[in-house]
Amino acid sequence: MFHPRRTLRALLLPLVAGLALAALPAGTAHAASTLTNAGFETDGTGAAVPSGWSEYGDTGASYVEAGGHGGSYRLTHYSASAYKVETYQYLSGLTNGNYKLTAWVRSGGGQNSAYLALKNCGGTEQRTDLPVSTSGWIHLVVPVSVTGNQCTISVYSDANAGNWINVDDLTFTSGTTGVSVKGSDISSLAKSEAYGGVYRTSSGTTGDALAILKSAGMNYARLKVWVNPADGYNNKTRVLAMAKRVKAQGMKLLVDFHYSDTWADPGTQTKPAAWAGHTYSQLKTDVYNHTYDVLNALKSQGTTADMVQIGNEINGGMLWSEGSTDNFAQLAGLIDSGYDAAKAVSSSTVVALHLAKGGDLTGTRWWFDTALANGVKFDAIGLSYYGYWHGSLSDFQTTLDDAASRYAKPVFVAETAYPFRLDSDDALVNQIDTTGELVSGYPATTTGQSNWLRDVMNIVEAVPNGRGLGVFYWEATWTAVTGNGWDPADAGSGNGWENQALFGFDDKALPAMSVFGHR
């Protein structure tokens, strides 16, 4: 039975950080167990208070207007002056269990905070912050465990003058979400340490970078492997040594095969020198033997790889020219050699294919459609997504969701990063070093970096059917250390990426690291 007095008392407890109090809707004695007017279509435009919903705070900043995601109308928060407002709906009579809220959102950014929340559900309040997306709609999810047969669905803004959000087409259904991969590429770490690199906690205590990352919530490490690099780092021996440290921290391991002696990426896929004169048939054997050798050595020392990438950012193929996408049948044979070797070592190891096409729906579809037509075997799809190179967050979500659905495979972000400042800590100009290169709404500050990683993680969590595995940050430990530059053949080369690491120029852990604690 519903008890208005008891429920009202429970709901009038102050929320964290001075947020609005959740009161019962005026004149409503009984709340529903399902969302009412979830698409904001009931009233038409201009409704000050949407039917079925209540408001608290600067209520003039919350209203219905034309321009919906699915239907004709949407909820908007906006005011020409600073405001704090909550639009909420109280549900009761719920069967206890796991639920998830989904919604389509847009935001112009700039708020002190803007989020969807599930609260007064019996346990910890759950929130999902709105990413900055001024044109494309993004769908978000918020999971919660209901233990008190009730829950309040909340849309909240603490905003500055002129800030706005749009919210539409909410659902509240049984189910749960989360991300299983909260990882980082730490391929630079061993060399950094060898050349004197130091890592500190946020309070300044010197420590093991891996332990600091683990304590922040990181549960997965990514290590690249080159065949015979000029500096002797990122080869089989070094990967084996670092794998022991990764597993000792209780983390999982992704091994990223570049099939090169140096960087492999969309613009460069150079064969290892030792394989340079080999025929296509020999190259298939090379890929198998190298992949098997590294992974079997990892298994033999008790650090079996949990995930493997056959190639790195292979938009145009790998082992050029034999493995170019211009001859996809041959590329397919090379990939399958790597797949077969990985499975021969450990059938449970997840084999992923990795493209740098985070916001490119057409390109991603073409690549994987062609791969499947050529019989390519894979277990998961990894995409690089750098917002300053690979399209909008909305484009990214569209591409990620489509890949998960179209190929019925789990998907993850194999690489993302964002600067916390623009200046350099060494003599080399940074790859991202001007405000014009940044993503709108995400400044080059520690907060901007944190919000970027958080919002990418939120988008991956929202991939339908639980197919969003998670995110790897690139490259958490690559700080500016003399001798640890980008070119393995040039000890004097610098680092153009230290302003996107997860340790600052003072070597202290940055706030963005805390995003690894994502549910």
Side-chain angles (χ1 to χ4, degrees):
M1 182 182 293
F2 177 62
H3 299 279
R5 185 181 302 274
R6 188 170 69 196
T7 305
L8 181 60
R9 188 181 304 130
L11 290 176
L12 287 176
L13 295 172
L15 297 177
V16 178
L19 301 181
L21 306 178
L24 280 175
T28 302
H30 296 275
S33 60
T34 56
L35 271 176
T36 301
N37 192 21
F40 303 99
E41 297 294 308
T42 302
D43 311 288
T45 193
V49 182
S51 295
W53 294 84
S54 300
E55 298 173 345
Y56 185 90
D58 298 313
T59 56
S62 172
Y63 50 92
V64 174
E65 65 178 352
H69 166 260
S72 300
Y73 302 101
R74 69 196 184 205
L75 173 71
T76 291
H77 286 181
Y78 167 81
S79 177
S81 55
Y83 62 94
K84 295 182 183 180
V85 69
E86 179 184 32
T87 309
Y88 65 93
Q89 190 168 149
Y90 167 70
L91 301 182
S92 67
L94 297 172
T95 301
N96 288 337
N98 292 323
Y99 290 82
K100 59 183 179 181
L101 173 73
T102 68
W104 288 87
V105 304
R106 295 191 298 200
S107 172
Q111 299 90 349
N112 300 314
S113 59
Y115 56 80
L116 308 172
L118 295 173
K119 58 191 186 180
N120 306 320
C121 308
T124 305
E125 177 180 333
Q126 296 294 320
R127 297 179 184 174
T128 298
D129 295 274
L130 271 60
V132 179
S133 181
T134 57
S135 54
W137 289 89
I138 291 174
H139 68 94
L140 297 178
V141 63
V142 193
V144 76
S145 176
V146 172
T147 60
N149 301 111
Q150 62 185 26
C151 198
T152 298
I153 285 82
S154 171
V155 180
Y156 181 79
S157 293
D158 174 359
N160 299 299
N163 294 162
W164 60 269
I165 65 170
N166 300 147
V167 178
D168 202 2
D169 295 338
L170 294 93
T171 69
F172 186 71
T173 56
S174 295
T176 189
T177 64
V179 290
S180 59
V181 173
K182 290 161 275 193
S184 178
D185 195 300
I186 53 159
S187 298
S188 64
L189 181 57
K191 190 174 180 181
S192 174
E193 292 171 336
Y195 280 84
V198 173
Y199 300 89
R200 307 180 193 278
T201 65
S202 57
S203 61
T205 303
T206 302
D208 175 9
L210 269 178
I212 294 169
L213 288 160
K214 169 68 182 302
S215 68
M218 191 176 103
N219 65 6
Y220 228 117
R222 180 178 186 252
L223 294 172
K224 70 170 176 268
V225 58
W226 289 337
V227 177
N228 188 24
D231 61 0
Y233 285 87
N234 303 118
N235 61 9
K236 173 187 168 184
T237 301
R238 301 286 185 176
V239 168
L240 286 168
M242 187 57 71
K244 286 184 178 179
R245 292 175 57 184
V246 167
K247 294 283 188 166
Q249 291 289 343
M251 296 179 186
K252 291 187 175 182
L253 173 66
L254 166 58
V255 178
D256 172 18
F257 285 94
H258 282 229
Y259 301 112
S260 182
D261 293 334
T262 187
W263 301 98
D265 56 43
T268 311
Q269 295 282 340
T270 305
K271 288 193 286 282
W275 307 356
H278 290 190
T279 64
Y280 170 66
S281 179
Q282 287 173 307
L283 288 172
K284 285 199 292 183
T285 302
D286 292 331
V287 168
Y288 187 97
N289 289 345
H290 171 61
T291 307
Y292 187 93
D293 180 46
V294 173
L295 296 179
N296 192 53
L298 285 165
K299 180 181 178 181
S300 296
Q301 71 171 13
T303 59
T304 301
D306 300 281
M307 195 186 305
V308 169
Q309 281 180 220
I310 305 302
N312 186 75
E313 296 189 331
I314 54 174
N315 301 12
M318 62 190 198
L319 295 164
W320 288 348
S321 59
E322 287 80 1
S324 165
T325 49
D326 291 339
N327 191 337
F328 221 110
Q330 289 195 170
L331 172 59
L334 294 168
I335 292 172
D336 284 346
S337 281
Y339 180 96
D340 291 344
K343 293 297 187 179
V345 173
S346 169
S347 61
S348 62
T349 295
V350 175
V351 179
L353 300 182
H354 171 209
L355 304 185
K357 286 185 174 288
D360 183 358
L361 174 65
T362 302
T364 300
R365 277 185 173 182
W366 174 84
W367 200 99
F368 281 100
D369 283 358
T370 310
L372 287 174
N374 282 277
V376 171
K377 296 177 283 191
F378 62 99
D379 304 325
I381 294 171
L383 297 177
S384 291
Y385 176 60
Y386 297 102
Y388 37 73
W389 291 331
H390 294 145
S392 70
L393 285 166
S394 177
D395 290 340
F396 162 57
Q397 182 171 68
T398 299
T399 305
L400 196 69
D401 290 358
D402 183 79
S405 170
R406 190 176 181 89
Y407 308 111
K409 301 286 187 183
V411 294
F412 64 97
V413 175
E415 298 181 18
T416 193
Y418 207 76
F420 60 91
R421 58 195 292 171
L422 292 173
D423 57 323
S424 294
D425 197 25
D426 63 10
L428 185 65
V429 171
N430 292 327
Q431 291 211 24
I432 302 298
D433 69 335
T434 66
T435 54
E437 294 171 295
L438 298 174
V439 180
S440 178
Y442 297 88
T445 61
T446 57
T447 298
Q449 184 188 52
S450 297
N451 290 352
W452 177 260
L453 182 54
R454 177 200 72 195
D455 293 346
V456 169
M457 196 87 78
N458 283 340
I459 286 172
V460 175
E461 184 182 13
V463 173
N465 300 309
R467 290 195 175 116
L469 291 180
V471 173
F472 288 93
Y473 193 88
W474 200 92
E475 223 247 35
T477 56
W478 200 11
T479 53
V481 175
T482 302
N484 191 22
W486 70 270
D487 186 353
D490 179 5
S493 65
N495 177 1
W497 206 260
E498 75 273 10
N499 66 325
Q500 302 195 61
L502 292 183
F503 291 88
F505 289 6
D506 58 2
D507 301 321
K508 291 181 182 178
L510 291 168
M513 209 182 285
S514 66
V515 180
F516 286 138
H518 192 96
R519 56 179 172 254

Short mmCIF file of all heavy atoms in Angstrom, two decimals, residues 139-193:
data_model
loop_
_atom_site.label_atom_id
_atom_site.label_comp_id
_atom_site.label_asym_id
_atom_site.label_seq_id
_atom_site.Cartn_x
_atom_site.Cartn_y
_atom_site.Cartn_z
N HIS A 139 22.26 9.02 -26.92
CA HIS A 139 21.49 8.30 -25.91
C HIS A 139 22.39 7.85 -24.78
O HIS A 139 23.53 7.44 -24.98
CB HIS A 139 20.70 7.14 -26.51
CG HIS A 139 21.49 5.99 -27.01
ND1 HIS A 139 21.78 4.88 -26.26
CD2 HIS A 139 22.06 5.77 -28.22
CE1 HIS A 139 22.48 4.02 -26.97
NE2 HIS A 139 22.68 4.54 -28.17
N LEU A 140 21.86 8.01 -23.57
CA LEU A 140 22.59 7.68 -22.35
C LEU A 140 21.80 6.67 -21.54
O LEU A 140 20.59 6.49 -21.73
CB LEU A 140 22.82 8.94 -21.50
CG LEU A 140 23.67 10.04 -22.12
CD1 LEU A 140 23.75 11.23 -21.16
CD2 LEU A 140 25.06 9.55 -22.46
N VAL A 141 22.48 6.03 -20.61
CA VAL A 141 21.84 5.05 -19.74
C VAL A 141 22.28 5.29 -18.30
O VAL A 141 23.41 5.71 -18.05
CB VAL A 141 22.17 3.60 -20.19
CG1 VAL A 141 23.66 3.33 -20.09
CG2 VAL A 141 21.38 2.58 -19.42
N VAL A 142 21.37 5.05 -17.37
CA VAL A 142 21.68 5.12 -15.94
C VAL A 142 21.13 3.86 -15.30
O VAL A 142 19.92 3.64 -15.31
CB VAL A 142 21.04 6.34 -15.25
CG1 VAL A 142 21.65 6.55 -13.87
CG2 VAL A 142 21.15 7.59 -16.09
N PRO A 143 21.97 3.00 -14.73
CA PRO A 143 21.48 1.79 -14.06
C PRO A 143 21.32 2.03 -12.56
O PRO A 143 22.02 2.87 -11.97
CB PRO A 143 22.61 0.79 -14.32
CG PRO A 143 23.85 1.64 -14.33
CD PRO A 143 23.44 3.01 -14.84
N VAL A 144 20.42 1.29 -11.95
CA VAL A 144 20.25 1.42 -10.49
C VAL A 144 19.68 0.13 -9.94
O VAL A 144 19.01 -0.63 -10.66
CB VAL A 144 19.32 2.61 -10.16
CG1 VAL A 144 17.85 2.27 -10.44
CG2 VAL A 144 19.50 3.09 -8.73
N SER A 145 19.93 -0.12 -8.70
CA SER A 145 19.30 -1.24 -7.99
C SER A 145 18.20 -0.70 -7.09
O SER A 145 18.47 0.10 -6.19
CB SER A 145 20.35 -1.98 -7.15
OG SER A 145 19.74 -3.01 -6.39
N VAL A 146 16.96 -1.07 -7.38
CA VAL A 146 15.82 -0.63 -6.59
C VAL A 146 15.61 -1.61 -5.44
O VAL A 146 15.43 -2.81 -5.67
CB VAL A 146 14.55 -0.53 -7.45
CG1 VAL A 146 13.32 -0.26 -6.59
CG2 VAL A 146 14.71 0.55 -8.51
N THR A 147 15.67 -1.11 -4.23
CA THR A 147 15.49 -1.97 -3.05
C THR A 147 14.33 -1.52 -2.16
O THR A 147 13.98 -2.21 -1.21
CB THR A 147 16.78 -2.02 -2.20
OG1 THR A 147 17.10 -0.70 -1.77
CG2 THR A 147 17.93 -2.58 -3.00
N GLY A 148 13.75 -0.35 -2.48
CA GLY A 148 12.67 0.15 -1.65
C GLY A 148 11.35 0.29 -2.37
O GLY A 148 10.46 1.03 -1.94
N ASN A 149 11.20 -0.42 -3.49
CA ASN A 149 9.96 -0.43 -4.29
C ASN A 149 9.60 0.93 -4.87
O ASN A 149 8.47 1.14 -5.32
CB ASN A 149 8.78 -0.96 -3.46
CG ASN A 149 9.02 -2.34 -2.94
OD1 ASN A 149 9.19 -2.54 -1.73
ND2 ASN A 149 9.07 -3.32 -3.84
N GLN A 150 10.56 1.85 -4.89
CA GLN A 150 10.28 3.18 -5.44
C GLN A 150 11.56 3.76 -6.02
O GLN A 150 12.67 3.30 -5.72
CB GLN A 150 9.75 4.12 -4.36
CG GLN A 150 10.75 4.36 -3.23
CD GLN A 150 10.16 5.21 -2.11
OE1 GLN A 150 8.95 5.23 -1.90
NE2 GLN A 150 11.02 5.90 -1.39
N CYS A 151 11.41 4.80 -6.86
CA CYS A 151 12.58 5.43 -7.47
C CYS A 151 12.14 6.77 -8.06
O CYS A 151 11.01 6.90 -8.54
CB CYS A 151 13.16 4.54 -8.58
SG CYS A 151 14.85 4.93 -9.06
N THR A 152 13.04 7.74 -8.01
CA THR A 152 12.77 9.04 -8.61
C THR A 152 13.69 9.23 -9.82
O THR A 152 14.91 9.09 -9.71
CB THR A 152 13.00 10.18 -7.60
OG1 THR A 152 12.09 10.04 -6.51
CG2 THR A 152 12.78 11.53 -8.26
N ILE A 153 13.07 9.52 -10.96
CA ILE A 153 13.80 9.80 -12.20
C ILE A 153 14.00 11.29 -12.26
O ILE A 153 13.04 12.06 -12.17
CB ILE A 153 13.02 9.29 -13.43
CG1 ILE A 153 13.10 7.76 -13.52
CG2 ILE A 153 13.55 9.89 -14.71
CD1 ILE A 153 12.14 7.03 -12.66
N SER A 154 15.24 11.74 -12.42
CA SER A 154 15.54 13.15 -12.32
C SER A 154 16.38 13.64 -13.48
O SER A 154 17.32 12.97 -13.91
CB SER A 154 16.30 13.42 -11.00
OG SER A 154 16.80 14.73 -10.94
N VAL A 155 16.03 14.82 -13.99
CA VAL A 155 16.86 15.55 -14.95
C VAL A 155 17.28 16.84 -14.25
O VAL A 155 16.42 17.63 -13.85
CB VAL A 155 16.09 15.87 -16.24
CG1 VAL A 155 16.97 16.63 -17.22
CG2 VAL A 155 15.52 14.60 -16.87
N TYR A 156 18.58 17.06 -14.11
CA TYR A 156 19.04 18.16 -13.26
C TYR A 156 20.05 19.04 -13.99
O TYR A 156 20.93 18.54 -14.69
CB TYR A 156 19.69 17.61 -11.99
CG TYR A 156 20.16 18.70 -11.05
CD1 TYR A 156 19.26 19.36 -10.22
CD2 TYR A 156 21.50 19.09 -11.02
CE1 TYR A 156 19.68 20.39 -9.38
CE2 TYR A 156 21.93 20.10 -10.18
CZ TYR A 156 21.01 20.75 -9.36
OH TYR A 156 21.44 21.76 -8.54
N SER A 157 19.92 20.34 -13.81
CA SER A 157 20.88 21.31 -14.33
C SER A 157 21.27 22.31 -13.24
O SER A 157 20.39 22.87 -12.57
CB SER A 157 20.30 22.11 -15.50
OG SER A 157 20.05 21.30 -16.63
N ASP A 158 22.55 22.51 -13.08
CA ASP A 158 23.09 23.63 -12.30
C ASP A 158 23.89 24.43 -13.31
O ASP A 158 25.03 24.08 -13.64
CB ASP A 158 23.97 23.11 -11.16
CG ASP A 158 24.67 24.23 -10.39
OD1 ASP A 158 24.50 25.41 -10.77
OD2 ASP A 158 25.41 23.92 -9.44
N ALA A 159 23.27 25.48 -13.84
CA ALA A 159 23.76 26.07 -15.09
C ALA A 159 24.05 27.55 -14.97
O ALA A 159 23.48 28.26 -14.12
CB ALA A 159 22.73 25.83 -16.20
N ASN A 160 24.90 28.00 -15.84
CA ASN A 160 25.19 29.42 -15.97
C ASN A 160 24.26 30.04 -17.00
O ASN A 160 23.56 29.34 -17.74
CB ASN A 160 26.65 29.61 -16.39
CG ASN A 160 27.62 29.04 -15.38
OD1 ASN A 160 27.64 29.46 -14.23
ND2 ASN A 160 28.40 28.04 -15.78
N ALA A 161 24.24 31.35 -17.02
CA ALA A 161 23.34 32.06 -17.93
C ALA A 161 23.56 31.58 -19.37
O ALA A 161 24.69 31.50 -19.85
CB ALA A 161 23.60 33.56 -17.84
N GLY A 162 22.44 31.23 -20.04
CA GLY A 162 22.49 30.84 -21.44
C GLY A 162 22.78 29.38 -21.71
O GLY A 162 22.70 28.93 -22.85
N ASN A 163 23.11 28.61 -20.67
CA ASN A 163 23.34 27.18 -20.86
C ASN A 163 22.01 26.47 -21.12
O ASN A 163 20.97 26.86 -20.61
CB ASN A 163 23.97 26.55 -19.62
CG ASN A 163 25.37 27.04 -19.32
OD1 ASN A 163 25.85 26.87 -18.22
ND2 ASN A 163 26.04 27.66 -20.29
N TRP A 164 22.08 25.38 -21.92
CA TRP A 164 20.85 24.65 -22.24
C TRP A 164 21.10 23.16 -22.37
O TRP A 164 22.21 22.72 -22.70
CB TRP A 164 20.23 25.16 -23.54
CG TRP A 164 21.12 25.01 -24.74
CD1 TRP A 164 22.02 25.92 -25.21
CD2 TRP A 164 21.22 23.87 -25.61
NE1 TRP A 164 22.69 25.42 -26.33
CE2 TRP A 164 22.21 24.16 -26.59
CE3 TRP A 164 20.58 22.63 -25.65
CZ2 TRP A 164 22.56 23.27 -27.60
CZ3 TRP A 164 20.93 21.74 -26.66
CH2 TRP A 164 21.90 22.06 -27.62
N ILE A 165 20.05 22.38 -22.11
CA ILE A 165 20.03 20.96 -22.43
C ILE A 165 18.67 20.60 -23.03
O ILE A 165 17.67 21.28 -22.78
CB ILE A 165 20.29 20.05 -21.20
CG1 ILE A 165 19.15 20.17 -20.16
CG2 ILE A 165 21.64 20.33 -20.58
CD1 ILE A 165 19.22 19.13 -19.05
N ASN A 166 18.65 19.55 -23.84
CA ASN A 166 17.41 18.94 -24.34
C ASN A 166 17.40 17.48 -23.90
O ASN A 166 18.43 16.81 -23.97
CB ASN A 166 17.34 18.96 -25.87
CG ASN A 166 17.37 20.34 -26.48
OD1 ASN A 166 17.90 20.51 -27.56
ND2 ASN A 166 16.84 21.34 -25.79
N VAL A 167 16.24 16.99 -23.48
CA VAL A 167 16.09 15.60 -23.06
C VAL A 167 14.78 15.07 -23.66
O VAL A 167 13.77 15.78 -23.68
CB VAL A 167 16.06 15.47 -21.52
CG1 VAL A 167 15.85 14.02 -21.10
CG2 VAL A 167 17.35 16.02 -20.92
N ASP A 168 14.80 13.83 -24.13
CA ASP A 168 13.59 13.29 -24.76
C ASP A 168 13.60 11.76 -24.71
O ASP A 168 14.64 11.14 -24.47
CB ASP A 168 13.52 13.75 -26.21
CG ASP A 168 12.11 13.72 -26.78
OD1 ASP A 168 11.17 13.37 -26.04
OD2 ASP A 168 11.94 14.07 -27.97
N ASP A 169 12.43 11.18 -24.93
CA ASP A 169 12.25 9.74 -25.16
C ASP A 169 12.93 8.89 -24.09
O ASP A 169 13.80 8.06 -24.37
CB ASP A 169 12.77 9.35 -26.55
CG ASP A 169 11.96 10.00 -27.66
OD1 ASP A 169 10.80 10.37 -27.40
OD2 ASP A 169 12.49 10.15 -28.78
N LEU A 170 12.51 9.08 -22.85
CA LEU A 170 13.05 8.30 -21.75
C LEU A 170 12.38 6.93 -21.68
O LEU A 170 11.22 6.76 -22.08
CB LEU A 170 12.86 9.02 -20.41
CG LEU A 170 13.64 10.32 -20.22
CD1 LEU A 170 12.81 11.51 -20.63
CD2 LEU A 170 14.08 10.46 -18.76
N THR A 171 13.12 5.94 -21.18
CA THR A 171 12.54 4.64 -20.83
C THR A 171 13.08 4.26 -19.46
O THR A 171 14.18 4.65 -19.08
CB THR A 171 12.92 3.53 -21.83
OG1 THR A 171 14.32 3.24 -21.71
CG2 THR A 171 12.61 3.94 -23.27
N PHE A 172 12.29 3.51 -18.73
CA PHE A 172 12.73 2.97 -17.44
C PHE A 172 12.30 1.51 -17.40
O PHE A 172 11.11 1.21 -17.31
CB PHE A 172 12.09 3.76 -16.28
CG PHE A 172 12.59 3.36 -14.92
CD1 PHE A 172 13.88 3.70 -14.52
CD2 PHE A 172 11.78 2.67 -14.04
CE1 PHE A 172 14.36 3.35 -13.26
CE2 PHE A 172 12.24 2.31 -12.78
CZ PHE A 172 13.54 2.65 -12.39
N THR A 173 13.27 0.62 -17.54
CA THR A 173 12.96 -0.79 -17.71
C THR A 173 13.89 -1.65 -16.86
O THR A 173 14.91 -1.17 -16.34
CB THR A 173 13.15 -1.21 -19.19
OG1 THR A 173 14.48 -0.88 -19.59
CG2 THR A 173 12.16 -0.49 -20.10
N SER A 174 13.55 -2.92 -16.74
CA SER A 174 14.41 -3.85 -16.03
C SER A 174 15.72 -4.03 -16.80
O SER A 174 15.75 -3.96 -18.03
CB SER A 174 13.74 -5.21 -15.89
OG SER A 174 12.59 -5.11 -15.08
N GLY A 175 16.79 -4.28 -16.07
CA GLY A 175 18.08 -4.52 -16.70
C GLY A 175 19.19 -3.78 -15.98
O GLY A 175 18.95 -3.03 -15.03
N THR A 176 20.39 -4.00 -16.43
CA THR A 176 21.53 -3.32 -15.82
C THR A 176 22.58 -3.04 -16.89
O THR A 176 22.51 -3.57 -18.00
CB THR A 176 22.13 -4.17 -14.68
OG1 THR A 176 23.09 -3.40 -13.96
CG2 THR A 176 22.81 -5.43 -15.23
N THR A 177 23.53 -2.18 -16.56
CA THR A 177 24.60 -1.82 -17.48
C THR A 177 25.88 -1.63 -16.69
O THR A 177 25.91 -1.76 -15.47
CB THR A 177 24.30 -0.52 -18.24
OG1 THR A 177 24.24 0.56 -17.29
CG2 THR A 177 23.00 -0.59 -19.00
N GLY A 178 26.91 -1.27 -17.39
CA GLY A 178 28.22 -1.04 -16.80
C GLY A 178 29.25 -1.29 -17.87
O GLY A 178 28.93 -1.66 -19.00
N VAL A 179 30.52 -1.07 -17.56
CA VAL A 179 31.59 -1.39 -18.49
C VAL A 179 32.59 -2.29 -17.78
O VAL A 179 32.93 -2.07 -16.62
CB VAL A 179 32.29 -0.14 -19.04
CG1 VAL A 179 31.37 0.63 -19.97
CG2 VAL A 179 32.80 0.77 -17.93
N SER A 180 33.04 -3.32 -18.49
CA SER A 180 33.97 -4.28 -17.87
C SER A 180 35.42 -3.90 -18.09
O SER A 180 36.30 -4.36 -17.36
CB SER A 180 33.71 -5.69 -18.41
OG SER A 180 33.85 -5.72 -19.82
N VAL A 181 35.68 -3.07 -19.10
CA VAL A 181 37.06 -2.68 -19.42
C VAL A 181 37.28 -1.22 -19.07
O VAL A 181 36.65 -0.32 -19.65
CB VAL A 181 37.37 -2.91 -20.92
CG1 VAL A 181 38.74 -2.34 -21.27
CG2 VAL A 181 37.30 -4.39 -21.25
N LYS A 182 38.16 -0.98 -18.11
CA LYS A 182 38.57 0.37 -17.74
C LYS A 182 40.09 0.37 -17.80
O LYS A 182 40.77 0.10 -16.82
CB LYS A 182 38.03 0.72 -16.36
CG LYS A 182 36.52 0.92 -16.37
CD LYS A 182 35.88 0.82 -15.01
CE LYS A 182 35.58 -0.61 -14.66
NZ LYS A 182 34.68 -0.74 -13.49
N GLY A 183 40.61 0.59 -19.00
CA GLY A 183 42.01 0.30 -19.24
C GLY A 183 42.81 1.47 -19.76
O GLY A 183 42.28 2.55 -20.06
N SER A 184 44.09 1.24 -19.88
CA SER A 184 44.99 2.23 -20.45
C SER A 184 46.14 1.52 -21.15
O SER A 184 46.57 0.45 -20.73
CB SER A 184 45.55 3.14 -19.36
OG SER A 184 46.46 4.06 -19.90
N ASP A 185 46.62 2.14 -22.22
CA ASP A 185 47.87 1.70 -22.83
C ASP A 185 49.01 2.24 -21.99
O ASP A 185 49.06 3.44 -21.68
CB ASP A 185 47.97 2.22 -24.27
CG ASP A 185 49.05 1.50 -25.06
OD1 ASP A 185 50.23 1.58 -24.64
OD2 ASP A 185 48.73 0.88 -26.08
N ILE A 186 49.92 1.36 -21.57
CA ILE A 186 51.06 1.76 -20.75
C ILE A 186 52.36 1.28 -21.40
O ILE A 186 53.35 1.00 -20.72
CB ILE A 186 50.94 1.20 -19.32
CG1 ILE A 186 50.72 -0.32 -19.35
CG2 ILE A 186 49.82 1.89 -18.56
CD1 ILE A 186 51.07 -1.02 -18.08
N SER A 187 52.36 1.23 -22.75
CA SER A 187 53.51 0.71 -23.47
C SER A 187 54.78 1.52 -23.22
O SER A 187 55.89 1.00 -23.35
CB SER A 187 53.21 0.67 -24.97
OG SER A 187 52.13 -0.19 -25.25
N SER A 188 54.63 2.78 -22.86
CA SER A 188 55.80 3.65 -22.65
C SER A 188 56.45 3.46 -21.29
O SER A 188 57.55 3.97 -21.05
CB SER A 188 55.35 5.11 -22.76
OG SER A 188 54.42 5.42 -21.72
N LEU A 189 55.80 2.74 -20.38
CA LEU A 189 56.20 2.78 -18.97
C LEU A 189 57.60 2.24 -18.71
O LEU A 189 58.39 2.87 -17.99
CB LEU A 189 55.17 2.03 -18.12
CG LEU A 189 55.44 1.99 -16.61
CD1 LEU A 189 55.58 3.39 -16.03
CD2 LEU A 189 54.32 1.22 -15.89
N ALA A 190 57.92 1.07 -19.26
CA ALA A 190 59.21 0.46 -18.94
C ALA A 190 60.37 1.36 -19.36
O ALA A 190 61.33 1.56 -18.60
CB ALA A 190 59.33 -0.90 -19.62
N LYS A 191 60.29 1.94 -20.54
CA LYS A 191 61.36 2.80 -21.02
C LYS A 191 61.41 4.10 -20.21
O LYS A 191 62.50 4.61 -19.89
CB LYS A 191 61.18 3.10 -22.50
CG LYS A 191 62.39 3.80 -23.14
CD LYS A 191 62.20 3.93 -24.65
CE LYS A 191 63.41 4.62 -25.29
NZ LYS A 191 63.25 4.78 -26.74
N SER A 192 60.24 4.63 -19.87
CA SER A 192 60.20 5.83 -19.04
C SER A 192 60.94 5.61 -17.72
O SER A 192 61.78 6.42 -17.32
CB SER A 192 58.75 6.22 -18.76
OG SER A 192 58.68 7.30 -17.85
N GLU A 193 60.62 4.51 -17.07
CA GLU A 193 61.27 4.20 -15.79
C GLU A 193 62.78 4.04 -15.97
O GLU A 193 63.57 4.51 -15.13
CB GLU A 193 60.66 2.94 -15.19
CG GLU A 193 59.22 3.13 -14.73
CD GLU A 193 58.55 1.82 -14.34
OE1 GLU A 193 58.98 0.75 -14.81
OE2 GLU A 193 57.59 1.88 -13.55
#
